[in-house]
Amino acid sequence: MQIKSICCIGAGYVGGPTMSVIAKKCPEVRVTVVDINEARIDAWNDKNYNSLPVFEPGLAEIVAEVRGENLFFSTKVDKAIEEADMIFISVNTPTKTYGKGKGMAADLKYIELCARQIAKVAKRDKIVVEKSTLPVRTASAIKDILDNTGNGVQFQILSNPEFLAEGTAIQDLLNPDRVLIGGDISNKKGEEAINALVEIYGKWVPKEKILTTNVWSSELSKLTANAFLAQRVSSINAMSEICEKTGADIYEVSRAIGMDSRIGSKFLNASVGFGGSCFQKDILNLVYIAKSYGLNEVADYWEQVIIMNDHQKNRFSDNIVSTLYNTVSGKKIAFLGWAFKKNTNDTRESAAIKVADNLLSEQANLAIYDPKVKEKQIYFDIENLESRPISENKKYLKVFEDPYKAMENTHGIAILTEWDEFKEYDWEKVYQQMNKPAFLFDGRGILDKKEMERIGFVYYKIGLGDESNTSLK
Ligand code: NAD
Ligand code: UGA
């Protein structure tokens, strides 16, 4: 079975970059990415490649190369479905905000809508690929909807979860650790569908890195990978608090444990807490699944990863308040960074939002600077804060395009994202412009404590306690 035409439903952080790379690596395949969000599609089609809706290093170059050749962005969903041999579903699967499973389960309404639309439009056999992250056994619901169209069209359902991380999406797609494809290995048609997708990835991914499994293993492996990764961050963050109390240094501890080849050195950076659209949502989903099978101990075990992460964000803002003499009311505090990690413009679940919420509740004035996040997005993010309505928060939270202006006349600076440019700032100049004592809270551990203290800052680094605590006396 040779695939000549691919459609991807959902032109977001996954659909856009993934399809760009497939189009680049498979010039003989016509790839159409569709979305109901017209503004998003317009942005993907923008002549100015700096205006693409997703910022990812290397993405604009690939889009420039293949867009209009074999990569197309469109709002004509039905047409793209009809023309495609293979359809990727890459729509959002957020946490439910209503009804049963509210605040925990994945909301599958967008997935179901896609399945129904495919069922309605398709006139010939298709392979449908789950690219979105889904609860284990979702494929059976999709199959049920597709198989009940009554028009005799045959569908093969594959699970092909995406493991890219934002900020490194293009590298992750070009050189994946593995590609996972789950399918129905019990019948010939299922096997053919798996092979068709293997062929696509095989254009650039070594065959030994393409794993094929049954559908349920594939769906569950995605949730498991995210749970393990998030658990590592919560584990190192838990240790960072012990370090601050005892005089141990989390950076030394990370290095020491990371050299154990069984533990490995990646994902051991203590931080103000993990963010991003998926870790929290996927773990909550896992907790929900465990609970729905009555596996309460399993559910409690994974829920603790989220509890620890919330604690880390709260204790960072608590520390700012207590260090600034127990009041930040009317004080100007600058935030360096709003994105949930560097090299992305994505702010979903960013730790900065929770820290801002806590400080706004304490009536602080916040000055935000992020190299890639637009003012509009930041105001959107604070619309639903618990602290105050947006009309009021807008008075207390200002967004700056110049970091030095953001940091002028502040009582404190908080680093929320690890953007490289923050390391290069003229920190002497920043210090001169601040109220004294000049407090600097490094939630990403990117600056040098000795150097900052030499300049005159009162410097707090996540995972480092008071130096007087380190002597043996
Ligand atoms: P996103 O919100 O950026 O994009 C999803 C897009 O789907 C939106 O533009 C939305 O308008 C569109 N959409 C929703 N319903 C539609 C419909 N019926 N027809 C057409 N378009 C529709 O989401 P994302 O970050 O790309 O994530 C998509 C999925 O991939 C999620 O399940 C997520 O868990 C998973 N995932 C995300 C990442 C990541 O880094 N963001 C990584 C791996 C997996
Ligand atoms: C994560 C996974 O890494 C991807 O494999 C997965 O595909 C994706 O989720 C998804 O399913 O959405 P992403 O959230 O884009 O990718 O970025 P990560 O690099 O995993 O970082 C997540 C959060 O953890 C960020 O806030 C980051 O700053 C934080 N983090 C990460 C730490 O605080 N310390 C670390 O050592 C690593």
Side-chain angles (χ1 to χ4, degrees):
M1 193 186 301
Q2 221 206 333
I3 303 300
K4 296 202 184 80
S5 174
I6 285 177
C7 157
C8 173
I9 309 179
Y13 282 86
V14 169
T18 312
M19 293 302 128
S20 301
V21 168
I22 290 185
K24 180 184 160 72
K25 293 294 182 181
C26 307
E28 69 289 354
V29 179
R30 185 185 167 91
V31 181
T32 308
V33 191
V34 291
D35 205 295
I36 41 175
N37 181 336
E38 228 176 290
R40 213 166 206 188
I41 291 297
D42 287 348
W44 279 112
N45 283 323
D46 204 302
K47 284 199 186 75
N48 179 357
Y49 291 102
N50 288 325
S51 301
L52 298 182
V54 171
F55 169 74
E56 275 295 335
L59 172 65
E61 290 79 351
I62 296 182
V63 174
E65 196 184 321
V66 289
R67 195 180 66 193
E69 296 291 327
N70 66 328
L71 176 68
F72 303 90
F73 294 95
S74 165
T75 50
K76 291 182 181 140
V77 182
D78 285 358
K79 182 169 182 281
I81 291 174
E82 207 179 329
E83 289 172 357
D85 305 317
M86 182 179 267
I87 302 164
F88 286 79
I89 302 181
S90 189
V91 299
N92 36 329
T93 48
T95 305
K96 254 184 114 177
T97 53
Y98 55 88
K100 199 164 172 245
K102 179 179 172 184
M104 290 238 130
D107 190 344
L108 297 178
K109 71 174 171 216
Y110 306 104
I111 296 286
E112 178 163 344
L113 278 172
C114 288
R116 290 192 183 278
Q117 196 158 4
I118 295 168
K120 192 179 81 190
V121 172
K123 296 199 178 58
R124 60 186 171 90
D125 296 357
K126 313 253 175 217
I127 298 170
V128 175
V129 185
E130 299 175 342
K131 182 52 101 178
S132 299
T133 303
L134 297 169
V136 56
R137 299 197 74 87
T138 304
S140 80
I142 295 181
K143 186 150 178 54
D144 225 39
I145 292 168
L146 292 174
D147 282 353
N148 280 295
T149 57
N151 56 8
V153 174
Q154 297 258 320
F155 294 98
Q156 290 303 319
I157 323 286
L158 300 178
S159 158
N160 172 223
E162 185 48 61
F163 295 101
L164 68 79
E166 290 180 28
T168 53
I170 298 301
Q171 272 322 307
D172 295 342
L173 288 164
L174 290 173
N175 295 304
D177 285 348
R178 79 318 207 168
V179 165
L180 182 55
I181 300 172
D184 186 354
I185 29 187
S186 68
N187 74 66
K188 195 159 170 289
K189 286 258 180 219
E191 251 176 55
E192 277 172 12
I194 294 173
N195 290 340
L197 189 53
V198 169
E199 278 301 304
I200 297 279
Y201 284 109
K203 291 280 186 318
W204 77 97
V205 180
K207 286 267 159 66
E208 64 276 13
K209 287 192 172 183
I210 305 178
L211 299 184
T212 55
T213 64
N214 81 38
V215 186
W216 318 133
S217 307
S218 173
E219 288 177 335
L220 187 60
S221 297
K222 173 62 197 176
L223 293 182
T224 309
N226 273 1
F228 271 57
L229 290 167
Q231 181 198 41
R232 261 173 97 92
V233 179
S234 277
S235 297
I236 204 71
N237 282 343
M239 291 305 162
S240 76
E241 194 171 9
I242 297 188
C243 285
E244 287 168 32
K245 296 284 182 230
T246 58
D249 171 332
I250 196 65
Y251 307 91
E252 291 178 351
V253 172
S254 291
R255 188 151 176 257
I257 64 164
M259 286 172 77
D260 185 324
S261 61
R262 294 167 304 173
I263 296 175
S265 62
K266 291 180 182 163
F267 253 71
L268 290 177
N269 295 323
S271 68
V272 53
F274 62 73
S277 62
C278 295
F279 278 179
Q280 177 165 308
K281 125 177 127 56
D282 292 348
I283 292 180
L284 288 173
N285 183 9
L286 195 62
V287 170
Y288 184 76
I289 293 169
K291 278 195 178 149
S292 65
Y293 285 106
L295 309 177
N296 294 329
E297 289 77 8
V298 177
D300 291 349
Y301 176 78
W302 286 110
E303 194 166 16
Q304 203 59 36
V305 172
I306 304 289
I307 292 170
M308 186 61 222
N309 196 48
D310 289 340
H311 171 65
Q312 190 76 349
K313 293 183 266 188
N314 289 332
R315 83 179 182 89
F316 187 74
S317 52
D318 286 350
N319 183 37
I320 295 179
V321 177
S322 64
T323 307
L324 291 176
Y325 313 108
N326 288 314
T327 176
V328 290
S329 177
K331 291 179 181 170
K332 181 179 173 190
I333 298 170
F335 274 24
L336 291 183
W338 188 263
F340 80 96
K341 63 186 283 199
K342 73 174 180 179
N343 292 336
T344 176
N345 60 346
D346 195 349
T347 64
R348 291 176 288 181
E349 302 295 338
S350 177
I353 300 172
K354 181 63 184 158
V355 174
D357 195 7
N358 292 347
L359 295 178
L360 286 168
S361 301
E362 295 287 339
Q363 303 185 342
N365 294 328
L366 301 183
I368 316 290
Y369 168 77
D370 188 287
K372 286 287 173 201
V373 182
K374 301 210 167 86
E375 181 179 86
K376 201 173 143 208
Q377 179 63 47
I378 295 174
Y379 283 135
F380 175 82
D381 291 337
I382 61 166
E383 243 168 50
N384 297 315
L385 294 192
E386 282 160 28
S387 50
R388 281 185 297 214
I390 176 118
S391 51
E392 268 190 61
N393 273 335
K394 261 193 166 172
K395 278 190 262 165
Y396 298 101
L397 185 149
K398 300 272 173 243
V399 180
F400 289 76
E401 284 189 3
D402 176 348
Y404 291 95
K405 282 267 178 295
M407 291 188 280
E408 213 169 51
N409 295 323
T410 45
H411 292 82
I413 297 171
I415 300 179
L416 276 308
T417 314
E418 73 282 22
W419 287 100
D420 289 336
E421 68 172 60
F422 300 162
K423 295 184 211 159
E424 311 303 325
Y425 286 171
D426 181 347
W427 285 102
E428 301 263 7
K429 178 176 154 186
V430 173
Y431 177 76
Q432 298 307 331
Q433 296 176 338
M434 285 179 70
N435 288 305
K436 308 296 178 314
F439 293 101
L440 179 51
F441 302 90
D442 188 348
R444 293 292 185 161
I446 56 174
L447 299 178
D448 182 60
K449 183 174 164 75
K450 281 213 170 68
E451 175 60 7
M452 292 302 126
E453 287 178 344
R454 184 197 63 74
I455 294 172
F457 286 104
V458 181
Y459 177 73
Y460 163 83
K461 186 170 186 165
I462 206 108
L464 270 193
D466 190 340
E467 226 152 74
S468 61
N469 208 1
T470 58
S471 100
L472 280 182
K473 280 185 209 145

